[in-house]
């Protein structure tokens, strides 16, 4: 797996964007991502749609590579860690999580994160809340217009369309504006929204090999 990176400055802080659908904040030693949707494939199988569980395993393998690469102390998920509550995929995630007992696990609750006290304990969370504030930044799943602090968000699953001579290519991206950094969905098993995106933003689209600013 190739990790390509691009540093951007936000509020006088350096954030490293990656082509693996995550960002790293070096000062806080924090790996930041959104929308893992753990349990989505199991949810589909339960409802009669045959999907291989290698989709989630691939996401977790990418996440392990990023942890090895950046050596973070904090792991911040900006919403939708889960997709449909507790199921067999969540069990696999918890086994994966047990490999990193010293990694502080922060969950910003998303609209899919319906988590009971029992499930919260099972996930080994160090922090769970609707928001997380660190210095001049607030982590929140979906953008709030009246929030004065700079917001790091997810939820939208942003995508960008590139028109080629043959066909339209849709790629995941980060979007940065004067008051928001919108993260791509970390899971590859998600759709991409190319319409409901922040206006007047800088788009950082990426492929398996590179990150491009538009």
């Amino acid at each position: 797996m190739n990790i390509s990176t691009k540093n951007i400055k936000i509020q006088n802080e350096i954030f490293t964007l990656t082509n693996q659908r995550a960002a790293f904040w070096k000062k806080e030693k924090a790996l930041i991502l959104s929308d893992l949707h753990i349990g989505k494939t199991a949810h589909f199988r339960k409802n009669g749609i045959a999907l291989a569980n290698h989709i989630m395993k691939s996401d977790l393998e990418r996440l392990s590579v990023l942890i090895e690469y950046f050596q973070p102390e904090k792991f911040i998920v900006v919403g939708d860690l889960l997709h449909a509550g507790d199921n067999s995929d969540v069990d696999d995630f918890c086994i994966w999580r047990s490999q990193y007992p010293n990694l502080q696990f922060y969950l910003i609750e998303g609209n899919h994160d319906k988590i009971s006290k029992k499930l919260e304990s099972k996930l080994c969370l160090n922090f769970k809340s609707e928001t997380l504030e660190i210095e001049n930044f607030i982590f929140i799943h979906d953008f709030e217009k009246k929030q004065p602090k700079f917001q790091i968000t997810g939820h939208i699953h942003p995508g960008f369309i590139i028109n080629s001579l043959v066909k339209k290519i849709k790629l995941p991206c980060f979007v940065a504006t004067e008051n928001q950094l919108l993260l791509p969905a970390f899971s590859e098993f998600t759709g991409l929204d190319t319409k409901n995106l922040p206006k007047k933003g800088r788009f950082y689209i990426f492929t398996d090999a590179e990150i491009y600013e538009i």
Side-chain angles (χ1 to χ4, degrees):
M1 184 182 89
N2 172 63
I3 297 180
S4 182
T5 63
K6 185 175 184 62
N7 290 338
I8 64 172
K9 183 176 285 189
I10 302 175
Q11 303 283 304
N12 294 318
E13 294 284 346
I14 300 298
F15 287 79
T16 302
L17 310 183
T18 78
N19 66 332
Q20 298 300 329
R21 300 174 178 245
F24 183 67
W25 185 4
K26 184 176 181 179
K27 181 180 177 182
E28 290 294 320
K29 297 182 179 179
L31 184 65
I32 306 163
L33 50 117
S34 182
D35 296 276
L36 277 82
H37 289 276
I38 297 296
K40 190 173 183 178
T41 52
H43 176 71
F44 274 65
R45 290 194 298 272
K46 183 179 179 181
N47 287 277
I49 301 173
L51 289 174
N53 64 359
H54 70 80
I55 298 170
M56 188 197 74
K57 289 181 179 179
S58 175
D59 287 340
L60 295 182
E61 286 171 2
R62 285 190 297 114
L63 191 46
S64 290
V65 172
L66 287 165
I67 290 171
E68 181 67 25
Y69 184 87
F70 287 109
Q71 295 292 305
E73 294 179 359
K74 300 184 183 78
F75 170 42
I76 302 175
V77 178
V78 192
D80 287 356
L81 168 69
L82 305 181
H83 183 77
D86 199 356
N87 58 32
S88 59
D89 282 354
V90 175
D91 294 335
D92 291 339
F93 173 79
C94 291
I95 293 170
W96 172 88
R97 165 74 175 102
S98 67
Q99 300 175 77
Y100 308 100
N102 297 322
L103 188 61
Q104 295 292 300
F105 186 7
Y106 295 73
L107 174 61
I108 315 308
E109 295 172 278
N111 52 296
H112 280 273
D113 293 317
K114 311 301 182 185
I115 298 177
S116 65
K117 288 292 184 181
K118 181 179 179 180
L119 182 52
E120 181 178 348
S121 176
K122 178 179 177 179
L123 290 166
C124 299
L125 299 173
N126 299 104
F127 175 92
K128 178 175 74 72
S129 181
E130 292 182 356
T131 62
L132 169 65
E133 295 188 33
I134 301 178
E135 297 189 1
N136 295 323
F137 300 91
I138 184 165
F139 296 82
I140 186 168
H141 185 55
D142 195 10
F143 183 78
E144 290 189 355
K145 291 182 179 180
K146 295 182 179 180
Q147 171 56 243
K149 285 196 171 185
F150 188 95
Q151 299 177 58
I152 297 176
T153 71
H155 185 57
I156 300 296
H157 306 179
F160 190 90
I161 294 176
I162 296 177
N163 293 307
S164 73
L165 295 175
V166 180
K167 63 178 181 178
K168 292 182 178 180
I169 302 171
K170 190 184 294 186
L171 295 171
C173 65
F174 296 83
V175 187
T177 71
E178 63 179 9
N179 56 2
Q180 178 186 16
L181 174 62
L182 173 59
L183 304 171
F186 187 80
S187 176
E188 294 182 340
F189 186 38
T190 57
L192 297 177
D193 189 337
T194 60
K195 297 180 179 179
N196 301 303
L197 302 178
K199 297 179 180 179
K200 299 180 180 179
R202 301 190 310 278
F203 288 78
Y204 298 92
I205 64 174
F206 50 87
T207 65
D208 291 340
E210 195 58 80
I211 300 175
Y212 305 91
E213 180 179 354
I214 294 179

